Amino acid sequence: MKIDALHMREVNMPLAHPFETSFGVTTTRRILLIEIEAAGISAWGECVAGEHPYFSDEMVDTAWHITETELAPRLLNADVEKGSDCPALFEQVRGHRMAKAAIENAVWDLDAQLQSVPLAKLLGGTRDIIPCGVSIGIQPTLVKQLEKVETEVSAGYQRIKLKCKPGWDEKVFEAVRARWPDILLSCDANSAYRLSDADRISTWDRFNLLMIEQPLWYDDFYFHAGLQKKLKTSICLDECIRNRRDAQAALELGSGRIINIKVGRVGGFTEAIAVHDVAQQHGVPVWCGGMLETGIGRAHNIALSSLPNFSLPGDVSASKRYWAEDIIEPEVTVSAKGEIVVPTASGRGFQVKRDRIDSITVRRHTCTPHH
Ligand code: OSB
Ligand code: MG
């Protein structure tokens, strides 16, 4: 495929509600979007790097720099046929997986459109509908936290995940379980605990959580194995799984029994599918994580979630939970049963609202091939 241009743009979008995790509060998202133009078609990718290097070592500005100076030139001066050609093209550049993923995913989107197949099918998806959960941020008060859970349980979401940190954990789980003894409930610590907390964490078995997500250091899966041995509750790995080798090593070590796959965190759809396959070979279920994406990243997450081993509800929820107005149409909606229908139209299956994107764009840059 001959790529005519790669357009980078940064959009700024205020979240409908601030989102607090153990590493900080987000009120407005700064998001790098990638648009690839080829054969008169326009394909999109979203970079999930955050405003600060707090979740991972990437952030919007490093992704912008690496995209402009390293990745876009490699893409534009190569002859890629499909998304899975991208990892080899970008191999010389170490790390920067979220920046790489945004481009690779746009190439998959392009390929799906050129072949007139749904992106989900191109990725190997088999599900027509996907089960959805929500990730609820840390709230200012316990009363507000319970109100949020009430809202999402009533909306039909199939799994509730509570963000937690030392000082905002047991009392919250206790209160939520007292009111909803039977819901599928999990927590996500985003690396806020240390080995000295292990005994206390092991008492959380009494809350019957589906999983405890990334309790220890963001770059560790060795010490997580020791913690998992002390728990009845499954550990779910997020931050520490960067690629299929990490997944294999972590599962061989017994570091967790569930993996959260974020396509940006592992560097693109090719690696995300590989992690999915490794987990499946180990009999370990996966689910699709979220990074407060716009509709473009969300559409890609829906397509990925249609793969067979995405058997647990993901953090893929409705557009309106995040944005007053999304940048795609139709917006992503979730049924009263907590399900999203996987689109059957060609490509990502959601139209991009270009006027809306233009109106929130704060910087742009176009890269073209050398002649
Ligand atoms: O750890 O899953 C996480 C958001 C930003 C950074 C990290 C995480 C999250 C979420 C939100 O949990 C998931 C969503 O997009 O709804
Ligand atoms: Mg997480």
Side-chain angles (χ1 to χ4, degrees):
M1 43 177 79
K2 186 184 161 302
I3 295 176
D4 300 315
L6 182 151
H7 304 284
M8 304 167 57
R9 53 166 104 207
E10 179 186 331
V11 295
N12 287 6
M13 287 175 78
L15 283 168
H17 310 279
F19 189 75
E20 180 169 351
T21 68
S22 65
F23 59 78
V25 186
T26 308
T27 49
T28 295
R29 291 290 339 271
R30 296 176 55 203
I31 298 172
L32 165 59
L33 296 176
I34 300 295
E35 181 185 4
I36 290 177
E37 255 188 85
I41 287 176
S42 158
W44 292 82
E46 172 168 345
C47 178
V48 301
E51 296 68 38
H52 301 276
Y54 299 166
F55 171 80
S56 78
D57 43 19
E58 288 185 82
M59 62 182 291
V60 192
D61 299 296
T62 63
W64 184 282
H65 179 72
I66 290 292
T67 300
E68 181 178 347
T69 60
E70 298 283 346
L71 306 179
R74 279 174 172 77
L75 180 80
L76 291 162
N77 297 310
D79 189 19
V80 292
E81 286 300 318
K82 50 193 185 317
S84 59
D85 292 340
C86 289
L89 202 59
F90 298 154
E91 197 180 8
Q92 190 181 23
V93 177
R94 292 187 178 172
H96 301 284
R97 294 183 302 281
M98 294 173 177
K100 291 173 179 174
I103 298 183
E104 181 187 323
N105 297 352
V107 175
W108 281 89
D109 184 335
L110 176 65
D111 190 14
Q113 292 184 63
L114 289 171
Q115 293 190 47
S116 296
V117 293
L119 177 60
K121 284 283 172 302
L122 192 63
L123 294 171
T126 53
R127 296 169 191 277
D128 304 328
I129 51 160
I130 61 164
C132 305
V134 283
S135 173
I136 303 181
I138 293 169
Q139 301 298 314
T141 65
L142 196 50
V143 170
K144 288 218 168 62
Q145 183 83 59
L146 294 176
E147 282 171 12
K148 286 278 180 189
V149 175
E150 171 68 45
T151 303
E152 308 302 3
V153 168
S154 314
Y157 284 102
Q158 296 185 21
R159 182 269 288 143
I160 302 291
K161 161 172 140 183
L162 303 169
K163 290 291 192 179
C164 67
K165 63 179 181 183
W168 191 261
D169 44 30
E170 282 145 44
K171 66 178 180 204
V172 183
F173 309 152
E174 196 89 62
V176 172
R177 269 300 182 223
R179 187 140 152 213
W180 295 277
D182 300 322
I183 57 170
L184 217 46
L185 185 67
S186 71
C187 70
D188 186 357
N190 287 112
S191 317
Y193 297 90
R194 295 297 171 257
L195 288 176
S196 53
D197 300 307
D199 288 337
R200 198 161 62 83
I201 293 174
S202 70
T203 69
W204 298 357
D205 284 340
R206 70 185 190 277
F207 300 120
N208 187 29
L209 302 175
L210 173 64
M211 62 198 151
I212 300 172
E213 192 174 336
Q214 198 75 30
L216 304 175
W217 303 268
Y218 76 96
D219 57 355
D220 170 79
F221 52 75
Y222 176 81
F223 293 105
H224 277 86
L227 179 60
Q228 178 67 90
K229 284 189 186 66
K230 293 191 173 182
L231 306 179
K232 285 204 188 66
T233 310
S234 294
I235 288 178
C236 170
L237 302 170
D238 176 358
E239 282 88 329
C240 65
I241 303 298
R242 300 162 301 175
N243 52 45
R244 70 190 81 180
R245 268 186 308 105
D246 284 346
Q248 188 181 341
L251 296 181
E252 285 181 10
L253 277 168
S255 315
R257 301 191 203 111
I258 297 173
I259 293 179
N260 164 344
I261 298 184
K262 289 177 178 162
V263 61
R265 196 194 67 224
V266 300
F269 281 133
T270 305
E271 202 62 27
I273 295 166
V275 171
H276 164 276
D277 294 349
V278 166
Q280 192 162 35
Q281 285 149 20
H282 282 79
V284 163
V286 302
W287 54 276
C288 184
M291 291 289 283
L292 310 177
E293 290 93 344
T294 73
I296 293 174
R298 200 164 300 282
H300 288 179
N301 287 345
I302 293 168
L304 182 66
S305 302
S306 72
L307 270 69
N309 196 34
F310 281 85
S311 50
L312 295 172
D315 284 344
V316 186
S317 47
S319 296
K320 67 168 189 228
R321 288 195 66 241
Y322 305 86
W323 317 112
E325 184 188 349
D326 206 337
I327 60 175
I328 54 160
E329 58 191 351
E331 298 208 340
V332 174
T333 54
V334 173
S335 77
K337 284 157 71 185
E339 294 171 339
I340 293 176
V341 177
V342 179
T344 51
S346 126
R348 86 190 84 79
F350 295 86
Q351 296 303 312
V352 164
K353 291 165 83 169
R354 191 175 287 277
D355 291 349
R356 163 106 180 105
I357 294 181
D358 284 341
S359 73
I360 55 173
T361 296
V362 297
R363 70 171 153 164
R364 50 171 103 215
H365 178 76
T366 291
C367 311
T368 50
H370 282 306
H371 293 291

